[in-house]
Amino acid sequence: MDLILCHTTADFDALGAAVGLTRLKPGAKAVLTGGTDPAVRDFLALHRDEYALIERRSVQLAQINSVIIVDTQKRDRLGKAAEWLDLPQLNAIEIYDHHPVPQTDIPATYTQIEPVGATTTLIVEQLQQSQIELTTAEATVMALGIHLDTGSLTFDQTTPRDGAALTWLMEQGANMRQIAQYVDPGLSPQLEKLFRQSLDLLQRQTHLGYTISWVFLNTPGHVPGLSSLASRLLEVTESDALLLGAEYKRKSKVETPQPADLPIVRFQVEGYSPFPVSGLTVEGSENYYNRQNSKIQPYSQNNLETQTQTNFGQKATLREQPSNLGQKATLREGPLPQTKLTIIGRTRIEGTDLNQLLQPLGGGGHSQAAAVTLRDCDAQKILEQLVNQLKDQIPQPLTARDLMSSPVRTIRPNTKINEAQRILLRYGHSGLSVVDQQDQLVGIISRRDLDLALHHGFGHAPVKGYMTKDVKTITPETSMADIQSLMVTYDIGRLPVLEDGQLMGIVTRTDVLRQLFQEELNEKPLKVDGSTLKPANLKPANIKPLLASSLWELLTIAAEKAQERGWHLYLVGGAVRDLLLADGNKPLLLNDIDLVVDGFHRSADAIAGVTLAKELRNIYRNVRLEVHGSFQTAALLWHNDPTLGSLCVDIATARTEFYPYPAANPEVEASSIRQDLYRRDFTINAMAARLTKVNPQSQLPLLDFFGGMLDLRSHKIRVLHANSFIEDPTRIYRAVRFAVRLGFEIEPQTKEYIHYAIESGVYQRTLAENAKVPALQTRLKAELNYMLQAPYWQPALQLLSSLGALRCLHPTLTLDKPLWWRVRLLGRWLQRFDPEQTLRHWQMRLEVLIADLAPDERVKVAKNLQLPVDSVERLQKLEGWQADFLESLPTCQLNSQIVHMLRQYKLPTLVLIGVYSPRAIRRNIWQYLTTWRHVKPPLDGNDLRKLGYKPGAHYREILDALLDATLDRVIRDQAEAKAFLAIHYPPLDKK
C-alpha cells in the first residue's frame, strides 16, 4: 500500500496535493495524520467519500510499501504517523513541498521542492503532463489548495505556474461557487469572539514608517483556525505586520504508560521548549533522544550498556533533527508540560521573513506567513522578543535623499526661454528650478512650459513669466510613501527637496514609479522570449557571504567613516554585477572595487571621495594612495597584502558628466548617486548596493534605476541612452567584451544605436576636427588591450566585425576571410615561437589588423592609437620588407643565404611579414624560426684554440663559414668540420 500523508491540521493545499497524488499513483490512499483546518473539516463533512481517504487508525502497518508526504518536510508535523517512516519494509519515501526549508529531518528517497505558491501546483503540472482528467470534486479541492495558499494569486510567493495550474483546474470543471464559499468562509463564532477580544488587546507600534501589531490571547483550549484570525486582524487593523500569540493550559494526563521504577522527565535544549520523555533507558555516556520509542539511545557503541534509573543532570547530545546536531541538552526531572503557545505571523513588509524568524524555535512557513508551537515557555517574553527581531528585519525605507537627483540645475527668473531650453538639452532634464539672488527657490519651469513659449515665439522672454510659483517641497528625509501621497494629491510630477532652506535635489514622478516596480521585477519570475527566468542568485542579501571576510571588514570600516560625516557610501558597477551573478558556493575574488560617496546633500563637497580615501589610508598604513583631482576620484592600491591580496579600490564622489564633443573626455560635476549611475555604460553596470545606514540583519539596499537586474536575469546588454555610443565609442567595445565574457546578448535596440553611431560618420569628423579624441585614441587602445589579450578574443573580434565596429579604427577596416585567417595564423605562430608570452600578443594581433589597411593609412592609425615606436616602425616598413622578401628570397639557393637574410630581423617583424607573405616566403620564415636559427656549427672557439688556431677577429669568419657549411649540409660532425677547415682554412692560417 502507498500512503500519502498530510501534515497535522491539514489545510486545503495539503489535501489538494494529496488528492492529486492519488490520481498519479493508482491505489494510493491519503491519510489525515492529525486534524484539519476548520474550513477543510467542514468541506470534508460533505465531500469525504469522493476522495481516496482513509483513517489513520485503519492503516495496517505491515501493508505499507511507501510513504509520500505533502506540504511539509518536518517529521514532527506528521504526528503519530511519523513512526511509519521507521518501518523496515519501506521501499520509498517521497516529499512534495513548496516551503523554503534549509534541511529536512525525513530520510527521503525522492524530493520535489520548488518555490511555487502552492504544493498543489507541483502535482497539477504532473497531472497535465500525464494527461489525466479529473472529476469536478477533485478539481475543486485542488483549486482551493492553490487559492488559499496564494491568496487567490495575490501573495508575493505566487508564480505564473500557480496561475497556469488554476486555469487548467477550471478547465477540468472546478466548482467556482464552492470555491467562493471556502476561499473566504468567515470566522467561526469562537474566532469571532477572539477577534473582538484581539481588537481590545492589540498593541501597535510604528517603526521606519511601518505599523507593527501584536496581540497575546489566553484561550481555554486548542482553537482551530487561528491563521484565519491573524489574516483578518492584519486586514482590519491595516497593519503592515502582525504577530498573534495564543496560549492555553493542557489538561493533566499521563500520555505514556510509566514503568513503576522510572520517573517522568523532560528533555530540554536551551532556547527550545521542553518535551516529555518517559520510560527512559540510558545507555552509555553520550546519548540522543529518539521520539518514536521514547528512549535515550546510545550515541557511541563503545560504551558498556547499562539500564538503570535515569541519571538526572547527565549531558546528552540532541540527535532529533540535523539542524540541532551537536547541541548539548540536560535531562531534568519534572512534570509533563502544562502550557502550549501558538504564534502566527503575517507580514506585508518587503525584506522581512517570518519563516527565517520562527525557524530557530522549530517553526516555519513562508516569508510572509509562518507559525510555531512552543510548550512551557514565557509566552509574553517570547512574543516581545519576536516583535523586536521582526523590527530588526525591516530594511531602512527609501527617502527623498535616495531618490532625488542632485545637484539641481537652477536658473534665475530673468533667464531667457532660449537659454533655459539649451540647458535642458545639455543635461537631459524635464524641468528646471528657478532661484533668486539668495538661491531661494521661487518657481519651477517644465519642458512643456518652455516648448509652449517657444511655439508662440517668446524665446527672448524671461522664464519668470512662464514658471510655476506655488511649489510643493519636501525634505531629504521625506519617505517615499509621503512623496507618493503628495504627487497623487496635488497631481504634480516633481518635488524640490529643501534642507534648511537650501535646494538640495529634486524627486520626479519617474523616480517614484521606477522604484515601485523595481522590487516586484526583482522578486517575480519574468517571461522573456518565451522562457521563464527565475530570480535565483539575484538578491543583494547574499553579498556579504560572497565576499572574503577581510574585504567585508574594509567595506564596513569605509561605510562607518562615511556615515560619521553624514554621507552615504555605495558599492557600484562591476562588483555589484558580479556579486549578483555569483553562484554563492565560494567567496568571489574581487581585485577591483568601485565605491561612490553621495555626500553632496549634507556637509560634503566635491572631494568627499578623496577625503574618505585619506581616512582609510590612516587605518591601512601599507596602502598606496593615488588622487585624480580632475575627476574627483582616489585609488587605494594594495599589492600582495597578506589579507587583501592585490586590490584596487576606487573611491569617487557621486558625479554627472557632459561630453563637450563626441569621443572627448567628459567634463564632470558633483551630483547624486542616481546621476552617477546614469552616466555609466550599461544597465547591468548601473546598479549600486548601499553600505551605510544598513541593519546588520537585513539586506543591502540595491539601487537599480534603469532595469539592470531585469537585464541580468534575461542576459541582455542594454545601453542607458540613445547617444551613449556617439559620446563614447569605447562603449561599443565594452558591450562586445561583456557580451562575450558573460555569455549575454546585445539587445536589438542597443545594436541599432551602435549601427547608427558608426554609420553617421561622427567619429571620422571628430578626428578631423579635434587633435585630442581620447575615446578613439588612448581609451580605445585600452579596450583593445582588454579584449585582444582575453581568452575569448576570437569570438569578441568576430562580434566586433559583425557590428561594423572595426570601423572605429578606420572606416575601411573589415574582418574579411583573408584577414580573419591571418589573425588566427598569427595566434598559431605566437603559440609556437613565444609560448612564454615575452611579446605583447594583443598588440601583435592589433598590428595584423592595422596591416590590412592601405600602406599610407597604417601609420596614421598606429599613431592615432599611440602604439609604441617599434610597432609604428614595423607597420611603416612592412610594405618595403614584403617587397624585399619577394625579390630576394626566391634567389637564395642555399639555406645559409636565407639565414643571412632573415637573422637581421627580430621575431615580431618576421611573424608580421610571415602572415602577410605568400606560402613559399612563409615556409622559409617558418623553417628559419623552427630549425635554422637554432643550428650551431660542430666546432666552437674552444675547439679552434685546441686545434692550434690563434684567437683573433678571424675566429668570427671561420665560425660563420662552419655554420654556413652546416646549414647547407656540407658538414655534419666534428670530423667533417675539421676536414672542412683543412681545405678552406689550412694549417698556415693557424699562425
Side-chain angles (χ1 to χ4, degrees):
M1 179 190 302
D2 298 328
L3 291 184
I4 303 163
L5 305 185
C6 302
H7 54 72
T8 55
T9 316
D11 56 12
F12 273 111
D13 188 30
L15 179 61
V19 168
L21 280 168
T22 62
R23 295 300 311 278
L24 285 167
K25 301 178 181 292
K29 302 295 183 182
V31 180
L32 302 175
T33 60
T36 64
D37 183 85
V40 175
R41 179 196 61 207
D42 295 343
F43 180 84
L44 288 178
L46 296 175
H47 301 283
R48 178 181 295 271
D49 294 339
E50 300 184 61
Y51 310 120
L53 296 173
I54 60 172
E55 300 284 345
R56 188 186 67 210
R57 59 190 177 187
S58 302
V59 174
Q60 299 294 320
L61 299 187
Q63 297 179 6
I64 302 176
N65 296 322
S66 66
V67 172
I68 302 102
I69 301 162
V70 294
D71 207 34
T72 185
Q73 301 166 54
K74 293 188 175 183
R75 189 183 187 108
D76 61 3
R77 292 211 65 197
L78 299 177
K80 294 183 178 180
E83 299 174 3
W84 302 348
L85 301 176
D86 300 319
L87 294 174
Q89 76 269 21
L90 292 184
N91 54 42
I93 298 176
E94 300 179 10
I95 297 177
Y96 297 87
D97 193 18
H98 70 125
H99 295 97
V101 177
Q103 215 167 8
T104 178
D105 56 359
I106 298 174
T109 58
Y110 172 80
T111 61
Q112 184 180 0
I113 302 165
E114 299 185 35
V116 292
T119 302
T120 303
T121 296
L122 304 176
I123 309 305
V124 168
E125 290 174 342
Q126 293 192 33
L127 290 167
Q128 287 181 275
Q129 292 173 4
S130 302
Q131 298 183 343
I132 295 175
E133 293 187 2
L134 305 180
T135 66
T136 295
E138 291 166 342
T140 300
V141 72
M142 297 178 77
L144 278 168
I146 297 175
H147 267 290
L148 270 298
D149 252 39
T150 65
S152 295
L153 306 181
T154 63
F155 291 166
D156 276 1
Q157 67 264 23
T158 305
T159 69
R161 295 168 65 184
D162 301 298
L166 202 51
T167 299
W168 184 77
L169 292 171
M170 293 173 65
E171 294 171 350
Q172 292 291 306
N175 189 318
M176 303 308 295
R177 183 173 297 178
Q178 284 191 336
I179 290 172
Q181 178 183 350
Y182 289 98
V183 164
D184 187 14
L187 299 178
S188 66
Q190 184 182 23
L191 290 176
E192 281 287 358
K193 182 178 178 181
L194 290 175
F195 174 69
R196 291 191 295 272
Q197 183 182 348
S198 299
L199 292 178
D200 294 333
L201 298 175
L202 191 76
Q203 299 184 67
R204 300 162 65 93
Q205 188 178 92
T206 300
H207 181 70
L208 297 178
Y210 297 103
T211 300
I212 313 298
S213 300
W214 65 98
V215 62
F216 175 72
L217 302 173
N218 279 302
T219 62
H222 172 68
V223 178
L226 285 174
S227 59
S228 300
L229 175 60
S231 298
R232 179 67 62 85
L233 284 170
L234 185 74
E235 294 297 330
V236 171
T237 61
E238 297 184 348
S239 300
D240 297 299
L242 178 135
L243 292 175
L244 166 66
E247 184 181 52
Y248 70 92
K249 291 186 177 180
R250 297 166 60 94
K251 294 180 181 179
S252 179
K253 65 178 183 179
V254 178
E255 296 185 342
T256 308
Q258 309 297 320
D261 59 338
L262 292 178
I264 299 171
V265 300
R266 288 183 294 160
F267 188 81
Q268 187 168 12
V269 181
E270 184 178 356
Y272 290 79
S273 55
F275 44 85
V277 180
S278 58
L280 288 174
T281 300
V282 177
E283 302 175 7
S285 60
E286 198 168 23
N287 312 279
Y288 66 92
Y289 175 64
N290 185 316
R291 200 170 222 173
Q292 277 61 55
N293 54 24
S294 298
K295 288 184 179 180
I296 296 293
Q297 297 194 344
Y299 172 61
S300 173
Q301 296 292 340
N302 296 326
N303 300 309
L304 296 176
E305 179 178 316
T306 61
Q307 192 166 9
T308 61
Q309 186 169 337
T310 306
N311 178 17
F312 298 107
Q314 177 182 347
K315 295 291 183 181
T317 301
L318 179 63
R319 295 285 172 180
E320 187 186 7
Q321 54 184 4
S323 61
N324 295 328
L325 287 178
Q327 287 186 282
K328 291 295 182 180
T330 304
L331 296 176
R332 305 180 189 277
E333 185 173 12
L336 289 170
Q338 296 298 307
T339 61
K340 185 175 181 180
L341 170 67
T342 298
I343 297 176
I344 298 174
R346 297 288 186 268
T347 181
R348 295 183 285 205
I349 303 173
E350 188 69 36
T352 57
D353 189 336
L354 293 176
N355 180 54
Q356 184 183 56
L357 180 70
L358 298 182
Q359 267 190 356
L361 298 178
H366 297 287
S367 60
Q368 289 191 307
V372 65
T373 299
L374 305 170
R375 295 172 177 82
D376 283 359
C377 60
D378 188 336
Q380 295 277 16
K381 182 178 179 181
I382 286 182
L383 188 60
E384 180 182 345
Q385 290 174 346
L386 289 175
V387 169
N388 290 331
Q389 291 172 15
L390 177 60
K391 289 191 291 186
D392 288 341
Q393 284 189 346
I394 299 175
Q396 291 285 336
L398 288 175
T399 64
R401 191 181 302 279
D402 302 306
L403 298 171
M404 70 185 182
S405 300
S406 178
V408 184
R409 306 299 164 190
T410 61
I411 55 177
R412 302 297 185 195
N414 290 325
T415 302
K416 299 295 188 288
I417 294 290
N418 284 331
E419 176 62 15
Q421 182 77 351
R422 188 192 66 79
I423 295 172
L424 278 186
L425 178 63
R426 169 168 179 156
Y427 294 104
H429 294 336
S430 60
L432 292 170
S433 297
V434 185
V435 296
D436 60 17
Q437 295 298 323
Q438 289 74 42
D439 289 333
Q440 298 295 302
L441 182 69
V442 295
I444 282 183
I445 189 162
S446 68
R447 182 183 298 277
R448 184 177 180 279
D449 298 329
L450 293 174
D451 289 343
L452 188 63
L454 290 169
H455 175 74
H456 291 293
F458 291 102
H460 61 283
V463 297
K464 63 183 179 181
Y466 293 87
M467 69 184 185
T468 299
K469 298 178 181 179
D470 182 17
V471 180
K472 302 295 180 185
T473 64
I474 55 177
T475 71
E477 306 307 324
T478 303
S479 69
M480 193 171 78
D482 291 338
I483 293 172
Q484 286 179 253
S485 179
L486 281 170
M487 287 184 170
V488 171
T489 301
Y490 297 101
D491 189 25
I492 48 181
R494 56 187 61 81
L495 289 168
V497 183
L498 301 183
E499 186 174 41
D500 297 330
Q502 295 298 307
L503 183 61
M504 307 303 296
I506 193 162
V507 177
T508 68
R509 186 183 286 116
T510 301
D511 298 328
V512 174
L513 290 175
R514 183 182 291 110
Q515 186 60 38
L516 286 174
F517 285 103
Q518 172 190 317
E519 294 176 357
E520 181 179 356
L521 289 173
N522 289 346
E523 295 295 331
K524 297 288 186 181
L526 177 71
K527 206 79 171 180
V528 175
D529 298 333
S531 300
T532 300
L533 303 173
K534 298 180 180 179
N537 300 324
L538 291 177
K539 295 179 69 175
N542 291 330
I543 283 182
K544 179 178 178 180
L546 284 173
L547 290 172
S549 58
S550 57
L551 186 53
W552 180 255
E553 180 183 2
L554 168 63
L555 295 179
T556 302
I557 292 173
E560 290 172 353
K561 294 299 180 183
Q563 196 163 316
E564 288 174 3
R565 290 177 171 268
W567 304 336
H568 271 317
L569 183 67
Y570 297 89
L571 178 68
V572 301
V576 176
R577 176 199 67 228
D578 292 342
L579 285 167
L580 293 177
L581 287 173
D583 60 15
N585 293 328
K586 58 182 180 180
L588 194 63
L589 299 175
L590 294 177
N591 52 25
D592 192 356
I593 289 178
D594 291 331
L595 299 177
V596 169
V597 179
D598 188 8
F600 189 86
H601 315 310
R602 289 192 179 177
S603 58
D605 54 23
I607 60 169
V610 175
T611 302
L612 179 60
K614 290 180 178 178
E615 285 203 36
L616 290 175
R617 185 185 57 177
N618 293 334
I619 299 172
Y620 294 88
R621 304 301 299 179
N622 60 336
V623 68
R624 187 170 90 253
L625 172 65
E626 294 181 356
V627 177
H628 309 286
S630 60
F631 291 99
Q632 305 162 14
T633 65
L636 294 171
L637 304 169
W638 285 264
H639 181 65
N640 292 333
D641 185 84
T643 57
L644 293 171
S646 295
L647 173 68
C648 175
V649 177
D650 283 303
I651 307 178
T653 307
R655 59 196 194 272
T656 188
E657 59 189 25
F658 176 76
Y659 289 82
Y661 55 86
N665 277 335
E667 299 173 359
V668 298
E669 300 175 7
S671 184
S672 67
I673 184 62
R674 184 182 182 281
Q675 290 296 315
D676 190 277
L677 295 175
Y678 183 68
R679 71 180 181 82
R680 297 175 185 270
D681 48 12
F682 309 109
T683 59
I684 62 171
N685 296 331
M687 293 181 286
R690 195 178 73 210
L691 301 171
T692 45
K693 289 191 175 181
V694 176
N695 190 302
Q697 298 183 10
S698 63
Q699 302 178 11
L700 291 181
L702 182 70
L703 300 188
D704 178 15
F705 299 110
F706 313 108
M709 184 73 82
L710 196 61
D711 288 330
L712 275 182
R713 289 163 60 186
S714 56
H715 292 186
K716 302 289 186 185
I717 303 295
R718 186 186 311 274
V719 76
L720 265 69
H721 57 87
N723 290 324
S724 182
F725 299 119
I726 289 178
E727 292 177 342
D728 188 353
T730 63
R731 288 174 176 166
I732 301 175
Y733 285 66
R734 288 170 61 81
V736 168
R737 181 155 56 89
F738 288 128
V740 177
R741 177 188 141 199
L742 299 175
F744 284 19
E745 179 186 359
I746 302 175
E747 60 90 27
Q749 183 68 69
T750 299
K751 283 185 178 179
E752 288 186 18
Y753 292 148
I754 291 174
H755 289 309
Y756 176 78
I758 294 171
E759 296 294 336
S760 69
V762 64
Y763 302 146
Q764 285 67 47
R765 291 198 302 272
T766 303
L767 281 170
E769 296 169 1
N770 301 275
K772 186 178 180 181
V773 189
L776 291 169
Q777 296 169 335
T778 53
R779 283 169 42 217
L780 181 58
K781 181 180 73 172
E783 282 300 323
L784 286 163
N785 183 351
Y786 289 135
M787 184 181 296
L788 294 177
Q789 72 178 349
Y792 49 79
W793 69 269
Q794 291 195 32
L797 196 55
Q798 287 180 305
L799 182 53
L800 271 180
S801 175
S802 68
L803 293 170
L806 292 177
R807 293 164 61 187
C808 293
L809 297 173
H810 191 275
T812 66
L813 184 58
T814 59
L815 191 67
D816 54 20
K817 287 185 178 180
L819 178 55
W820 178 233
W821 178 84
R822 290 189 181 99
V823 174
R824 287 180 293 145
L825 177 63
L826 172 77
R828 293 195 292 272
W829 281 50
L830 291 175
Q831 186 176 8
R832 175 64 184 272
F833 303 126
D834 187 35
E836 301 300 323
Q837 298 198 17
T838 59
L839 304 177
R840 295 176 179 176
H841 288 196
W842 74 268
Q843 187 175 294
M844 291 297 301
R845 294 186 181 104
L846 181 55
E847 288 181 29
V848 171
L849 293 174
I850 297 173
D852 195 61
L853 299 172
D856 57 342
E857 297 295 319
R858 296 169 184 169
V859 174
K860 293 180 183 177
V861 173
K863 288 183 176 179
N864 184 61
L865 293 174
Q866 298 183 22
L867 294 184
V869 174
D870 62 324
S871 180
V872 175
E873 182 182 6
R874 277 192 295 274
L875 290 167
Q876 185 176 24
K877 295 182 178 180
L878 177 60
E879 184 182 19
W881 288 332
Q882 287 177 294
D884 289 344
F885 276 49
L886 285 172
E887 179 182 352
S888 302
L889 271 181
T891 66
C892 295
Q893 301 299 316
L894 301 173
N895 295 343
S896 59
Q897 294 174 325
I898 298 175
V899 171
H900 279 289
M901 178 178 178
L902 297 185
R903 67 184 177 187
Q904 60 184 305
Y905 300 99
K906 294 181 180 179
L907 176 61
T909 301
L910 289 175
V911 170
L912 185 61
I913 295 172
V915 298
Y916 271 95
S917 297
R919 178 177 296 180
I921 304 296
R922 189 165 61 250
R923 186 184 299 115
N924 286 334
I925 297 175
W926 178 272
Q927 196 158 4
Y928 166 73
L929 292 174
T930 55
T931 305
W932 295 336
R933 68 170 174 163
H934 303 296
V935 172
K936 296 184 182 301
L939 301 176
D940 58 17
N942 291 328
D943 296 322
L944 293 180
R945 188 179 299 109
K946 291 176 182 177
L947 290 173
Y949 289 90
K950 185 178 180 181
H954 62 288
Y955 263 36
R956 181 74 269 158
E957 177 187 349
I958 295 172
L959 291 174
D960 284 345
L962 287 171
L963 175 60
D964 289 347
T966 305
L967 287 168
D968 298 334
R969 306 181 68 83
V970 174
I971 60 176
R972 293 176 176 82
D973 53 31
Q974 287 190 349
E976 291 181 352
K978 291 176 182 178
F980 177 85
L981 288 178
I983 296 172
H984 297 282
Y985 297 91
L988 290 176
D989 294 338
K990 296 180 183 180
K991 297 178 182 179

